[in-house]
């Protein structure tokens, strides 16, 4: 008997299991998470904190933006006319903001203690070791 996977994942073989639980919350099934390996655990924890209070939250994106984690989510799947209260939206923002704050001190490449580096076009959060390895115009 042939096994049938949920979906062919294209080229995302390196996405890792930490982000797998988030898949069912993503609005666009073809979305590729744009975070480095050092942040995957953090993104996973952000998901866990979010899903604990908003079991059906909708994820639009999880990515690095301006040197911190941008976890863009709605409390529930978006509907015309609204599908959540302002208080719920504020609460979810509070959760994701806490993780954005933590991400500023975690190396996006290796997960070590780090700081924001502004020597490149893109602000990156890197530890001392990774700072010397990632090239001028490089992503991770
Ligand atoms: Zn590092």
């Amino acid at each position: 008997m042939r096994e049938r996977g949920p979906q062919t994942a294209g080229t995302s073989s390196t996405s890792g299991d930490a982000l797998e639980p988030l898949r069912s919350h993503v609005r666009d099934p073809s979305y590729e998470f744009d975070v480095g390996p050092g942040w995957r655990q953090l993104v996973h924890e952000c998901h866990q904190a979010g899903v604990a209070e908003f079991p059906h939250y909708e994820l639009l994106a999880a990515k690095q933006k301006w040197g911190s984690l941008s976890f863009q989510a709605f409390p529930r799947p978006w509907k015309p006319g609204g599908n959540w209260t302002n208080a719920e939206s504020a609460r979810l923002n509070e959760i994701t903001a806490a993780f954005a704050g933590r991400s500023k001190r975690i190396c996006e490449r290796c997960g070590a203690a780090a700081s924001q580096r502004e020597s490149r076009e893109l602000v990156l959060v890197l530890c001392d070791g990774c700072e010397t390895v990632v090239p001028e115009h490089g992503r991770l």
Side-chain angles (χ1 to χ4, degrees), residues 34-52:
D34 187 17
V35 292
W39 279 9
R40 289 180 181 272
Q41 182 58 31
L42 186 72
V43 172
H44 179 78
E45 288 174 24
C46 186
H47 158 75
Q48 286 184 311
V51 84

Side-chain angles (χ1 to χ4, degrees), residues 107 109-112 126-127 129-130:
C107 178
R109 187 163 179 267
C110 78
L126 296 170
C127 67
C130 292

Side-chain angles (χ1 to χ4, degrees), residues 35-42 64 67 101-117 120 124-134 140:
V35 292
W39 279 9
R40 289 180 181 272
Q41 182 58 31
L42 186 72
Q64 194 275 119
R102 283 177 61 190
S103 72
K104 294 175 187 172
R105 301 184 302 276
I106 297 172
C107 178
E108 194 183 346
R109 187 163 179 267
C110 78
S115 60
Q116 289 184 333
R117 312 285 177 160
R120 300 176 185 80
L124 297 177
V125 185
L126 296 170
C127 67
D128 290 341
C130 292
E131 168 69 1
T132 64
V133 175
V134 177
L140 299 174

Side-chain angles (χ1 to χ4, degrees), residues 68-80:
S68 71
L69 172 64
S70 176
F71 194 96
Q72 300 168 11
F74 291 143
R76 281 180 211 94
W78 185 88
K79 274 187 200 169

Side-chain angles (χ1 to χ4, degrees), residues 24-66:
S24 62
H25 292 268
V26 181
R27 175 185 284 182
D28 172 4
S30 68
Y31 179 70
E32 295 289 337
F33 296 100
D34 187 17
V35 292
W39 279 9
R40 289 180 181 272
Q41 182 58 31
L42 186 72
V43 172
H44 179 78
E45 288 174 24
C46 186
H47 158 75
Q48 286 184 311
V51 84
E53 296 185 42
F54 301 100
H56 305 291
Y57 83 87
E58 182 174 56
L59 181 60
L60 308 180
K63 60 187 179 181
Q64 194 275 119
K65 192 177 176 187
W66 309 119

